[in-house]
Amino acid sequence: MTRSTPHAPLPEALVRRLADLLGEHFTVNATVCGHHGGGGMRHPNLPPQAVAFPGTTEEVAAVVRACADHRTPVVPFGAGTSLECHVGAVAGGVTLDLSRMNRVLRVSAEDFDCTVEAGVTRMALNAHLRDTGLFFPVDPGADATLGGMAATRASGTTTVRYGGMRENVMALTVVTAAGEILRTAGRARKSSAGYDLTHLFVGSEGTLGVTTEVTLRLHPVPEAMAAAVCAFPSAGAAVTTVIEALQSGLTPARAEYLDAVQMGAVNRAFGLDYAVADSLFLEFHGGPDDVSRQAEALGELATANGGSDFRWETEPEARDRLWKARHQAGFAALSLRPGAVPWSTDVCVPISRLAQCVTETRADLDAAPFPGTMLGHVGDGNFHAILLLNRDDPAEMAAAAAFDARLVQRALAMDGTCTGEHGVGLGKQGALIDELGGAVALMRAVKQALDPDGLMNPGKIFAAA
């Protein structure tokens, strides 16, 4: 999406009202607005006309009410790490940057939960929890804000054991499109009281309201951890090993796949010497005996599937190096084509179909007129392709779009989804219709009911009507 015409200026009365409310924490500076445009990869930068930096839920509500009075769009903004231009200001308006709302409000160690403001990042929360014996496990790689992770229903490397945001968000404080403050649930571990409003907002990508506080499940820090890298003769062999492990009752905390091309890029980027082959990055959590037992059992499965060069790491520093290589794999991929623009896309399929889907996608990528890599969270059936493109070559960009469309259709034909964790944003609106059909009309009806003027992050998930 690009803008063909500039937006009408913000009403002067709105600018004065927000400046009076927030003082130096409100700006129309073009550079600041440009940093909030959500561009990157194949998406254009779509900056807002102003940025507000509220410090409390009440200030968020006041900003939303002011924008509602002037029929001005509002775009919630966390860390800006989303990949489908979720925070681009399609219709202009005011971006709500929640970075000042970075307080851990409560930790209840005896209840294994906490409440944080939306601008707290996952790494900051875990640093705060360091002396409690608890941690928050959801790890999408980027140091995203927890409000943003809730809004995009994030998951990541640990989902196979701990679940994603869907399983770990207990309650939210939300500012509605009308500027009202509501709490979606209490702290009880279960409830049958009415609609599940919490999970209506989790994954809504800021289109229904602004999340300002998040109550989260916490988990005990494991007594022991062991991580490993293992090389395989093919993608199918690597993925089959994970499937067989899960079918055997093993519970890896992480089960990540990187293809041979990606492993070569990781070696070059980080000065490592892993085998340049389809590989698994694995981790087990638990008691020492249980970790050893599961690691041994998985090693036997890997060997039976042709796995080799098994490297186990138990020391924290070594495990951190291993997972840094995995988390930074996207940046490493750029070394394959300096100056290229990355196009990262993802799908998710039932694990019984994963080996086939990965193998067919790798063959499709090998035939493409551009380099690319594959990696993913194969323990839950989710994988990514990173395409490295010349943005100035229309034929190459068209070939990338065609590849993405084939990948989505392949996943849908296997009863999968067009996106396991990136979300819809701007990039997968057509794929959402292909996947859910008439259910998208129901989503539109929910949007209309909660945001009748269409001011909350307009143009995302589905195009404005």
Side-chain angles (χ1 to χ4, degrees):
M1 172 177 292
T2 59
R3 290 181 180 152
S4 56
T5 58
H7 300 298
L10 292 180
E12 291 184 10
L14 173 62
V15 172
R16 288 195 302 271
R17 184 170 167 182
L18 295 181
D20 289 343
L21 173 69
L22 296 174
E24 64 181 3
H25 299 302
F26 174 76
T27 183
V28 294
N29 178 274
T31 300
V32 176
C33 290
H35 290 159
H36 289 78
M41 299 195 302
R42 72 190 191 277
H43 295 296
N45 201 49
L46 301 171
Q49 295 157 288
V51 182
F53 297 86
T56 65
T57 293
E58 290 72 22
E59 286 185 349
V60 171
V63 171
V64 171
R65 285 194 297 270
C67 289
D69 289 345
H70 292 276
R71 298 295 188 268
T72 297
V74 174
V75 181
F77 187 99
T81 56
S82 54
L83 296 175
E84 293 291 356
C85 201
H86 293 85
V87 295
V90 173
V94 176
T95 285
L96 270 171
D97 184 318
L98 302 175
S99 57
R100 290 180 60 223
M101 297 182 64
N102 59 3
R103 292 173 288 271
V104 176
L105 300 174
R106 177 193 57 82
V107 176
S108 297
E110 64 275 18
D111 292 319
F112 296 91
D113 67 34
C114 69
T115 299
V116 302
E117 291 183 323
V120 175
T121 68
R122 65 176 186 87
M123 292 178 66
L125 174 58
N126 280 322
H128 184 92
L129 295 171
R130 187 173 292 125
D131 297 327
T132 66
L134 303 173
F135 81 119
F136 181 69
V138 182
D139 180 6
D143 190 21
T145 64
L146 293 159
M149 288 169 62
T152 55
R153 200 160 56 233
S155 54
T157 61
T158 59
T159 307
V160 62
R161 181 181 177 99
Y162 297 102
M165 293 302 282
R166 180 181 64 184
E167 292 79 16
N168 286 284
V169 173
M170 300 173 63
L172 301 170
T173 298
V174 175
V175 174
T176 71
E180 298 174 345
I181 299 170
L182 62 85
R183 176 83 169 166
T184 63
R187 291 173 50 220
R189 285 283 164 149
K190 62 180 181 179
S191 172
S192 296
Y195 295 152
D196 187 351
L197 294 180
T198 300
H199 292 94
L200 175 63
F201 285 98
V202 172
S204 64
E205 301 184 12
T207 63
L208 302 179
V210 183
T211 294
T212 61
E213 295 178 9
V214 189
T215 296
L216 299 163
R217 297 180 188 271
L218 302 177
H219 298 258
V221 173
E223 183 180 357
M225 300 183 192
V229 177
C230 183
F232 289 84
S234 68
V239 173
T240 296
T241 297
V242 176
I243 294 171
E244 291 176 351
L246 297 174
Q247 291 171 337
S248 299
L250 302 183
T251 55
R254 290 179 164 116
E256 298 290 297
Y257 164 73
L258 283 75
D259 72 3
V261 179
Q262 181 67 68
M263 289 301 293
V266 163
N267 282 346
R268 283 191 295 274
F270 299 107
L272 302 173
D273 61 350
Y274 295 129
V276 181
D278 292 280
S279 300
L280 292 178
F281 283 40
L282 301 159
E283 188 165 274
F284 288 97
H285 294 175
D289 292 343
D290 185 50
V291 166
S292 296
R293 177 188 64 79
Q294 295 210 56
E296 181 179 349
L298 192 138
E300 293 174 358
L301 291 173
T303 299
N305 285 306
S308 62
D309 194 27
F310 226 112
R311 303 192 196 181
W312 284 102
E313 305 284 3
T314 57
E315 294 301 318
E317 295 81 4
R319 287 190 290 102
D320 288 346
R321 284 196 299 272
L322 185 154
W323 291 111
K324 178 182 178 182
R326 167 60 186 91
H327 285 327
Q328 299 296 319
F331 295 105
L334 293 174
S335 68
L336 298 171
R337 193 179 189 185
V341 173
W343 178 329
S344 181
T345 186
D346 84 310
V347 295
C348 189
V349 297
I351 60 170
S352 62
R353 306 299 301 274
L354 182 61
Q356 178 187 355
C357 194
V358 166
T359 299
E360 291 179 5
T361 302
R362 181 68 256 180
D364 199 9
L365 190 54
D366 287 340
F370 44 76
T373 70
M374 289 173 53
L375 62 161
H377 319 305
V378 292
D380 53 28
N382 181 208
F383 70 96
H384 311 258
I386 302 174
L387 319 179
L388 301 166
L389 307 172
N390 176 2
R391 194 200 294 261
D392 297 325
D393 184 340
E396 196 165 292
M397 296 300 288
F403 170 90
D404 193 25
R406 289 193 299 272
L407 173 58
V408 167
Q409 292 305 315
R410 184 178 301 120
L412 296 185
M414 296 179 179
D415 206 18
T417 177
C418 66
T419 175
E421 62 184 12
H422 286 189
V424 176
L426 290 180
K428 289 196 170 177
Q429 296 179 359
L432 179 68
I433 295 172
D434 291 342
E435 178 176 339
L436 297 178
V440 177
L442 182 58
M443 292 183 189
R444 285 184 177 274
V446 172
K447 166 74 169 173
Q448 177 65 27
L450 272 65
D451 180 22
D453 294 320
L455 300 179
M456 300 304 302
N457 205 10
K460 310 300 167 52
I461 302 183
F462 26 76

